[in-house]
Amino acid sequence: MKPDFDLQRHNTFGLPARARWSAVLSQPTDVELAWEKAQSLRLPLRVLGGGSNVIFRPFFDGIIAMMEIKGRSVLGRQGEHTLLQAGAGEDWHEFVLWTLSQNVPGLENLAGIPGKVGAAPIQNIGAYGLEMADRFHSLLAYDLENKNTIVFNKDDCGFGYRQSVFKKAAGRFIVLSVTFAMPNDWAPQLSYQGLSELSPDTDPQTVAQTIIALRNGKLPDWRKFGNAGSFFHNPIVESAFAAELRKTHSDAPVYPQQDGRSKLSAAWLIERCGFKGSRLGGVGVSERHALVLVNYGDGTQEQLESLADNIKSEVLARFGVVLHQEPETI
Ligand code: EPU
C-alpha cells in the first residue's frame, strides 16, 4: 500500500485527485487482502480499472486498488463457440487485438474502447452494433459481502443497455476474470450505419481497423483532451413519446428497442440545446461529438458537474427528457 496517491494519471478525464491509500491487485487473493485491510482501517475500498468511467472528487478518503490481474488464454471449443478467458486487469483494446491475432474473431466491433477487461461486464460496454453481452460466457468475481469467489453465468448477470447486476450492486462484486464465447461461424456485424460500406465478405482485421478509424474521427483522444467517452446514456422512452418528438423534430434519431420502447440520441438532444463546442472554465462539450464532455487541461470535477447539470436541466426543460450520467463520481 502506498499513502497519498496521485490519481490524475489514473483517470481518463485527467482530473486532479488524490487517494489516502493505493494498492495493486496482481492476483485474485490480493482482493481479499485489500478488503481486510480496508475493514481494519475502517476505510472504503474502490477497485479501479482503466479509470475511463469515473469522475474523481479531489480527495478519496480510502483505498484505491488498481486492478492488475493479467492472463489471456484460448480455452478451446465448446459446441458452436470458442471460449477465451482474460484477467480483469488486461487492457480491453489490447485484448481485442490479441483475440484477432489468435484467429478467434467476434469482438472486433468493440476495438478501441478504453478501460480494462474487468470493467467491461459492469456496464456491458457496447459500440457499433455489438454489446459485450453478445459475446459473454461467464465471469469469476470476489463477493466482498460473503467473502467468497463466485462464478456468474450469462443469465445471472442481468445485462441490459449499459446495465448489469454488478452495476446495481455498486462495488460488492470484484471481477477477477471474464470468459467470452466467440461464434465459430464468424460473420461481420455491419448493422451500424458507418459500417455499411464494408462488404459482407470483409475480414475481422478490416472491421477492427474501420472501427478504430471511425472512433478516431468522432471521439476526442483522452490522452490529448481528457474525457470518458459518452457522458450520458442514450435515453430510453415510451415509443409514443418518441413519435411526438418526431412530429416536431423530424430529424431526431429514434431507435426502436426489442421491448417496444425507443432509444433517443442524447448527443442530438444536447446539440439541439446549443451545447456542442461550449465551454465552462476548463471543461466543455466536444466540438466533435456532443455526448463527450472534455477536460481541456485545467478543468475540475466541480466544473464538470456544473456543466453536466446545465445540460441535464436544459434537455429536461426543452424536451422533457431526463439524462442519466454514465461515469460514476467517486
Ligand atoms: N449526433 C448528433 N450530434 C453529435 C453526435 C451525434 O446529433 O455531435 C447524433 C447523430 O444523429 C448520430 C447519433 O447522434 O447519428 C448517434 O451518434 P453515434 O453513432 O456517435 O452514437 P451515440 O449514440 O452518440 C453510442 C455509444 C458510444 C458508441 C457509439 C457507437 C452510448 C451512451 N454511447 O453513442 O459509446 O461508441 O454509440 O456505437 O450508448 C461510450 O459509451 O463511452 C461510447 C463512446
Side-chain angles (χ1 to χ4, degrees), residues 55-210:
I55 300 173
F56 279 127
R57 294 192 180 93
F59 184 62
F60 179 75
D61 194 8
I63 304 172
I64 291 283
M66 323 290 263
M67 176 47 73
E68 292 295 341
I69 299 173
K70 303 284 189 203
R72 330 179 267 215
S73 51
V74 179
L75 301 180
R77 284 186 174 227
Q78 190 184 81
E80 292 167 358
H81 295 95
T82 297
L83 303 188
L84 297 171
Q85 196 169 60
E90 289 287 345
D91 176 82
W92 175 264
H93 174 65
E94 295 296 323
F95 171 64
V96 172
L97 296 183
W98 174 82
T99 62
L100 298 180
S101 74
Q102 301 298 304
N103 291 318
V104 190
L107 285 173
E108 55 287 339
N109 291 49
L110 303 182
I113 298 182
K116 296 203 168 165
V117 166
I122 293 174
Q123 68 150 352
N124 182 21
I125 57 171
Y128 305 104
L130 193 78
E131 282 187 348
M132 189 234 49
D134 299 328
R135 301 286 182 258
F136 180 88
H137 178 270
S138 57
L139 63 74
L140 196 65
Y142 185 76
D143 178 356
L144 297 183
E145 211 168 284
N146 292 328
K147 290 193 164 193
N148 59 358
T149 302
I150 331 177
V151 174
F152 284 83
N153 291 312
K154 189 168 171 179
D155 289 345
D156 309 327
C157 297
F159 288 129
Y161 168 60
R162 297 294 195 272
Q163 201 49 266
S164 73
V165 293
F166 314 109
K167 196 166 178 180
K168 287 189 186 136
R172 172 176 166 185
F173 301 107
I174 308 302
V175 178
L176 304 173
S177 66
V178 186
T179 304
F180 299 91
M182 313 290 237
N184 292 334
D185 61 343
W186 178 85
Q189 164 56 264
L190 305 176
S191 61
Y192 184 82
Q193 218 179 11
L195 298 173
S196 54
E197 280 164 28
L198 289 179
S199 136
D201 297 330
T202 188
D203 59 280
Q205 292 284 356
T206 306
V207 178
Q209 292 316 316
T210 309

Side-chain angles (χ1 to χ4, degrees), residues 123 126-129 161-162 192-193 215 218-219 228-234 251 253 255 263 265-269 271-272 276 287-291 326:
Q123 68 150 352
Y128 305 104
Y161 168 60
R162 297 294 195 272
Y192 184 82
Q193 218 179 11
R215 293 186 71 92
K218 273 211 262 194
L219 303 169
S230 300
F231 195 88
F232 298 103
H233 294 155
N234 282 326
D251 61 331
Y255 311 100
K263 199 193 258 180
S265 158
W268 184 92
L269 295 165
E271 185 170 346
R272 284 307 168 287
K276 194 168 179 177
E287 296 122 16
R288 289 209 208 172
H289 200 298
L291 198 44
E326 198 168 284

